[in-house]
Amino acid sequence: METKDKKGMDRREFLKRLGAGAAVSVAALAGCDPKNNPVTGDRSVEGEVPTDKMTYRMNPTTGDRVSLLGYGCMRWPQLSAPAADGNVADQEAVNRLVDYAIAHGVNYFDTAPVYVQGFSEKTTGIALKRYPRDRFFIATKMSNFSNPTRENSLAMYRKSFADLQVDYIDYYLLHSVGGGGMENFSRRYLDNGVLDFLLREREAGRIRNLGFSYHGDVKVFDYLLSRQDEYKWDFVQIQLNYVDWKHAKEVNTKNTDAEYLYGELQKRGIPAVIMEPLLGGRLSKVPDHIGTRLKQRRPASSVASWAFRFAGSFPGVLTVLSGMTYMEHLQDNLRTYSPLEPLTEDDKGFLEETAQLMLRYPTIPCNDCQYCMPCPYGLDIPGILLHFNKCVNEGNVPASSQDANYRQARRAFLVGYDRSVPRLRQAARCIGCSQCVPHCPQNIDIPAQMQRIDGFVEDLKQGREF
Amino acid sequence: MLRRIRIALAVVCFSSITLLFLDFTGTLHAWFGWLAKIQLLPAVLAVNLGIVAALVVLTLLFGRVYCSVICPLGVMQDGFGWLGKRRKKYRYSYSPAVSWLRYGMLGVLVIAIIVGSGWLVALLAPYSAYGRIAQNLFAPLWQWGNNGIAYLAERMDSYAFYSVDVWMKSAAVFGVAALTFVILGVLAWRNGRTYCNTVCPVGTVLGMMSRFSFLKPMIDESKCNGCGLCARSCKASCIDPKAHRIDYSRCVACMDCIGACRQEAIRYGRQKKRPTVDVSEGKADVSRRRFLSGVGLVALTAAAKAQEKKVDGGLAVIVDKKIPDRRTPLVPPGAQGLKNMTAHCTGCQLCVSVCPNGVLRPSSKLATLMQPEVSYERGYCRPECVKCSEVCPAGAILPVTVADKSAVQIGHAVWIRENCVPLTDGVECGNCARHCPTGAITMVGSDPEAEDSPKVPVVNIERCIGCGACENLCPARPFSAIYVEGHERHRIV
């Protein structure tokens, strides 16, 4: 596979030279034919993705040289129907993405036993097995949410090694601590002795770095850092982006500003791994006028690149994770970090203004992580929330039935709703059993949101005045 | 010229009526809805005297132009005939009337109406036969076409088209429609209007009047050279060229013979002297009947994907809902009850084709065969919709307003303890109560003694209107934990 990749590189190189040659002749003719623009004749405006310009950060404990762009393995492309072994991930497409990422300097891969309907580790393992073990760092997690017995937790830990086909794990995390408060933390890691077990595994060298990913109750975060002398966390994974930096509470009262979280880690010299730099895409799929504003300031950069530059500009950040399903997203992020152009103070101020604008749009803070799924009653929860957010951003959620574009927005909302989510999986089907609620790392009150959206849909369908 | 006018009008009427059955958005009814209402049998059943009188006058003036222009089943047969004619021109021939069959069928219809045998009426009514064909055979093609366009629209980010469900509403009725289509197709392709002049009771009634119509085609014996071209081009097989006689009870005033005559011996006009309408009674060599047959169709069920453990993502399998065993069938608001429905419905399927919620479907039961029936596995009778009541031409579903509808009780909800998810799954629910448009459902503790016992629904059947929101939105599958039992007579609550 590696040789195949090299071949690819050669071909690319060949094409580049060919293109350069052509560009010379094109340039000579440019005056005659407006179609052969000399600027775009030999390369796209966006340019080649550099292979050797990636920004790296040093892990102070192990000396790992980690790429600033980390690959989140939660959103691997999926097959339309599962493969023979039940795997829903599109292995071929995953291999392609992994090859491209590694060829362009990415070396950090973050997965978990529960991702991609439980197939992420296996798929990621197969893709990485084709490379020497020292070419990449693997991060995975203890996702013992539903069954925190010691037996089940240890089985999950061992299965990660088997699925990933490795004999050590570079970065191991206690998955999503903070949800359910200290009580849940004790249940998952202290009472069953799993944390002690993992500390011993680190001593034994099977875990090179031990850390935790944090969402929710800040008491757990503070508690774990207060015991730093004992636990010696090698890294901590937090949610950081230009909205959550100062406004996490405004998005979700249960969240904590990233400024605080990052500050606490900095005080103790613990490197931060960043998740949700894009808020599950909500910082790339922004309302039109916000997107325009960002593009106006840097026309050649994508909307998403602002969020990545924001997260990458903090020196204490080890890597920024992005769950890239599409090659185009991978390429865009590679460009942003090859190399990173840190934000200026001006840029930071500009993003803070942008964040304040964003807050005026009442999107639901769903990051499409799918932790809530599958809903036992068949709903497509993220599908419903994302459709609602899309309509908010596109101005198709009329604030009142008297709005000027009411009829058009109504149709767009309702027709789009049926397209995005099959009727049997729509919000009207939510019975409010609340089984999803503890799974949501963003603490969204999913049943309340479902009923709110359903009420809105009924208003539209019945043509009620509101 | 007359023929051209007839064809033009027929094409307009036929395509408009067909569109009524194809249009699932309900917008065309505002324009062409009247075309369904001027159909004779529905008008008779709706006791729409104005329209019946107008049609009688029309026939007495011009002959059976109704059959050539207004009746979609007749025009459809002309279409088949036209296809046949492309293969071989002048292929019809005179045949004597089969009066015993014609009047027999008429008698059957009258008796069927009197004894309230709805399915027989529905089977004999020509407009309804066409409705079934359009609804069962043409509408799916139209909808698939629409879905194809909607698929493209979605990719172009346009909301102009949306996708609709295409589903088999009743296998039995589909079978009837398909059989009617094939039999009529073959008959018309070979022999023109055989059905209209042997079976169709509407044709027979109109024939009784058209004998005395003011204007009719006439053969000028002085010009006629007896070539018989007129008879060979007569799809009604009603011209006896040797006797220079036209059986006006069977003539559908298509005007084809006028153009066919090279001697210009046939003209359409006033009769100077009354000719004898003595039609020789031949023996019925052709007796055609349509038989009923149910066509069993294999329903496709979606392939199920199994889930082993709690992991992130994926969708739970949704089991299809099954139709509960309703003691009393449900008919839509406006129908006033089962009796009115049976007495008036001709089974034309117009209401079924416009129902946007997948609620109406033709009944497969013999007693009410082809008449609409309400069920809630695919959707429920939504509060903002009164489409079926707007389109019914036969007075089987009378017009109701959205406001009226919210107070018409067509049935009442019945709770089934064994299926209720707070008890079976131990989770909170209340989806029925949350969606009840009349607030007839309250959630109460399942154990009156224990305050924190799981909450289950109680139904105030005085407020329940039977819309089925509770049944449809109930999470219990395949049978809901709450279902609607029909009422024989609707009442206002």
Side-chain angles (χ1 to χ4, degrees), chain B residues 361-485:
Chain B
R361 71 284 309 275
S363 162
S364 300
K365 295 187 204 91
L366 187 62
T368 52
L369 192 74
M370 299 178 271
Q371 299 189 350
E373 209 173 69
V374 167
S375 200
Y376 299 128
E377 320 83 66
R378 295 178 159 264
Y380 59 96
C381 196
R382 289 199 47 92
E384 73 277 5
C385 173
V386 288
K387 283 197 175 134
C388 55
S389 87
E390 285 167 358
V391 302
C392 179
I397 310 172
L398 297 162
V400 286
T401 64
V402 172
D404 290 342
K405 176 184 173 170
S406 66
V408 175
Q409 184 181 57
I410 63 167
H412 68 273
V414 180
W415 179 53
I416 304 173
R417 184 184 183 92
E418 292 68 31
N419 294 346
C420 196
V421 297
L423 302 176
T424 57
D425 297 10
V427 293
E428 259 188 56
C429 183
N431 214 33
C432 49
R434 204 157 36 241
H435 288 92
C436 178
T438 58
I441 303 177
T442 317
M443 299 303 287
V444 299
S446 50
D447 177 358
E449 306 300 317
E451 243 176 54
D452 55 350
S453 57
K455 289 214 161 43
V456 294
V458 288
V459 181
N460 177 353
I461 59 167
E462 294 308 316
R463 287 175 82 173
C464 174
I465 55 170
C467 71
C470 52
E471 179 179 330
N472 179 250
L473 295 170
C474 174
R477 286 170 179 276
F479 288 107
S480 298
I482 191 162
Y483 82 105
V484 181
E485 191 52 81

Side-chain angles (χ1 to χ4, degrees), chain B residues 3 81-82 84-94 189-191 227-235 256-262:
Chain B
R3 179 170 174 266
W82 180 70
K85 205 152 81 178
R86 286 162 63 112
R87 219 173 60 104
K88 189 181 170 219
K89 255 186 153 183
Y90 304 121
R91 61 207 167 60
Y92 302 122
S93 62
Y94 173 74
W189 194 73
R190 294 178 46 185
N191 294 320
C227 70
L229 265 186
C230 52
R232 282 161 62 205
S233 70
C234 176
K235 59 192 170 208
D256 284 359
C257 52
I258 298 173
C261 181
R262 292 178 187 159

Side-chain angles (χ1 to χ4, degrees), chain A residues 102-164:
Chain A
I102 291 185
H104 291 79
V106 172
N107 64 8
Y108 189 97
F109 293 83
D110 173 88
T111 177
V114 291
Y115 288 170
V116 195
Q117 301 182 40
F119 288 102
S120 174
E121 284 185 332
K122 195 172 180 194
T123 305
T124 310
I126 292 170
L128 289 175
K129 188 67 183 169
R130 303 167 304 144
Y131 291 89
R133 183 66 183 86
D134 59 2
R135 281 283 297 273
F136 58 88
F137 302 114
I138 193 90
T140 191
K141 314 184 180 80
M142 172 58 69
S143 319
N144 58 348
F145 308 106
S146 52
N147 179 0
T149 61
R150 184 181 171 86
E151 191 191 9
N152 182 59
S153 306
L154 266 50
M156 183 175 269
Y157 174 73
R158 300 216 165 90
K159 188 156 186 295
S160 291
F161 284 81
D163 280 353
L164 286 163

Side-chain angles (χ1 to χ4, degrees), chain A residues 257-289:
Chain A
D257 286 345
E259 189 176 24
Y260 171 81
L261 303 175
Y262 177 75
E264 291 298 298
L265 296 178
Q266 278 299 87
K267 270 190 220 161
R268 296 169 178 84
I270 305 172
V273 171
I274 303 306
M275 58 182 159
E276 303 296 356
L278 263 188
L279 275 177
R282 279 184 293 132
L283 296 185
S284 57
K285 293 174 210 148
V286 294
D288 278 349
H289 72 279

Side-chain angles (χ1 to χ4, degrees), chain B residues 19 21-26 142-143 146 162 164 353-354 356 387:
Chain B
L19 282 173
F21 284 94
L22 300 183
D23 171 45
F24 47 82
T25 63
W142 175 271
Q143 289 163 351
N146 166 77
Y162 57 89
V164 289
S353 26
V354 295
K387 283 197 175 134

Side-chain angles (χ1 to χ4, degrees), chain A residues 95-400:
Chain A
N95 288 357
R96 235 174 75 72
L97 290 166
V98 167
D99 292 342
Y100 195 90
I102 291 185
H104 291 79
V106 172
N107 64 8
Y108 189 97
F109 293 83
D110 173 88
T111 177
V114 291
Y115 288 170
V116 195
Q117 301 182 40
F119 288 102
S120 174
E121 284 185 332
K122 195 172 180 194
T123 305
T124 310
I126 292 170
L128 289 175
K129 188 67 183 169
R130 303 167 304 144
Y131 291 89
R133 183 66 183 86
D134 59 2
R135 281 283 297 273
F136 58 88
F137 302 114
I138 193 90
T140 191
K141 314 184 180 80
M142 172 58 69
S143 319
N144 58 348
F145 308 106
S146 52
N147 179 0
T149 61
R150 184 181 171 86
E151 191 191 9
N152 182 59
S153 306
L154 266 50
M156 183 175 269
Y157 174 73
R158 300 216 165 90
K159 188 156 186 295
S160 291
F161 284 81
D163 280 353
L164 286 163
Q165 308 183 56
V166 293
D167 42 23
Y168 64 88
I169 285 168
D170 303 279
Y171 292 81
Y172 198 79
L173 301 93
L174 315 188
H175 196 175
S176 193
V177 307
M182 273 312 289
E183 192 190 327
N184 196 31
F185 180 78
S186 300
R187 211 165 56 89
R188 285 177 58 196
Y189 296 107
L190 301 181
D191 306 346
N192 55 13
V194 166
L195 181 53
D196 288 335
F197 169 80
L198 293 175
L199 291 167
R200 282 198 302 279
E201 285 294 291
R202 177 169 63 179
E203 272 168 43
R206 282 184 288 273
I207 293 175
R208 293 182 57 241
N209 296 276
L210 186 63
F212 61 87
S213 67
Y214 157 77
H215 283 291
D217 192 344
V218 76
K219 283 197 198 102
V220 185
F221 179 85
D222 289 339
Y223 169 80
L224 292 178
L225 289 197
S226 71
R227 309 282 295 270
Q228 174 64 2
D229 291 344
E230 186 187 336
Y231 296 142
K232 300 199 171 52
W233 302 114
D234 300 298
F235 69 107
V236 170
Q237 188 161 313
I238 55 169
Q239 177 167 327
L240 182 152
N241 51 65
Y242 61 81
V243 174
D244 280 321
W245 184 248
K246 280 180 191 295
H247 308 285
K249 285 253 179 294
E250 290 159 65
V251 177
N252 190 322
T253 50
K254 287 183 184 159
N255 284 356
T256 306
D257 286 345
E259 189 176 24
Y260 171 81
L261 303 175
Y262 177 75
E264 291 298 298
L265 296 178
Q266 278 299 87
K267 270 190 220 161
R268 296 169 178 84
I270 305 172
V273 171
I274 303 306
M275 58 182 159
E276 303 296 356
L278 263 188
L279 275 177
R282 279 184 293 132
L283 296 185
S284 57
K285 293 174 210 148
V286 294
D288 278 349
H289 72 279
I290 294 181
T292 319
R293 187 181 137 90
L294 295 169
K295 288 300 274 188
Q296 189 181 23
R297 194 161 164 116
R298 273 171 80 97
S301 303
S302 66
V303 171
S305 72
W306 282 98
F308 281 97
R309 286 175 62 218
F310 181 86
S313 291
F314 297 97
V317 166
L318 186 64
T319 185
V320 179
L321 300 176
S322 176
M324 297 160 286
T325 313
Y326 301 102
M327 182 60 87
E328 294 69 27
H329 293 166
L330 172 59
Q331 290 171 335
D332 184 36
N333 294 345
L334 286 167
R335 280 195 188 94
T336 308
Y337 283 160
S338 301
L340 164 75
E341 192 187 319
L343 294 178
T344 61
E345 283 310 307
D346 257 13
D347 286 337
K348 284 183 182 165
F350 170 73
L351 282 185
E352 169 57 21
E353 285 166 27
T354 309
Q356 291 184 14
L357 283 175
M358 291 278 302
L359 290 169
R360 289 190 207 159
Y361 283 79
T363 51
I364 298 161
C366 171
N367 294 342
D368 192 21
C369 71
Q370 307 268 338
Y371 287 18
C372 53
M373 295 293 283
C375 161
Y377 295 98
L379 273 82
D380 182 358
I381 299 166
I384 296 163
L385 297 178
L386 294 183
H387 171 69
F388 184 82
N389 284 350
K390 178 172 178 263
C391 290
V392 169
N393 286 336
E394 290 175 356
N396 287 330
V397 178
S400 142

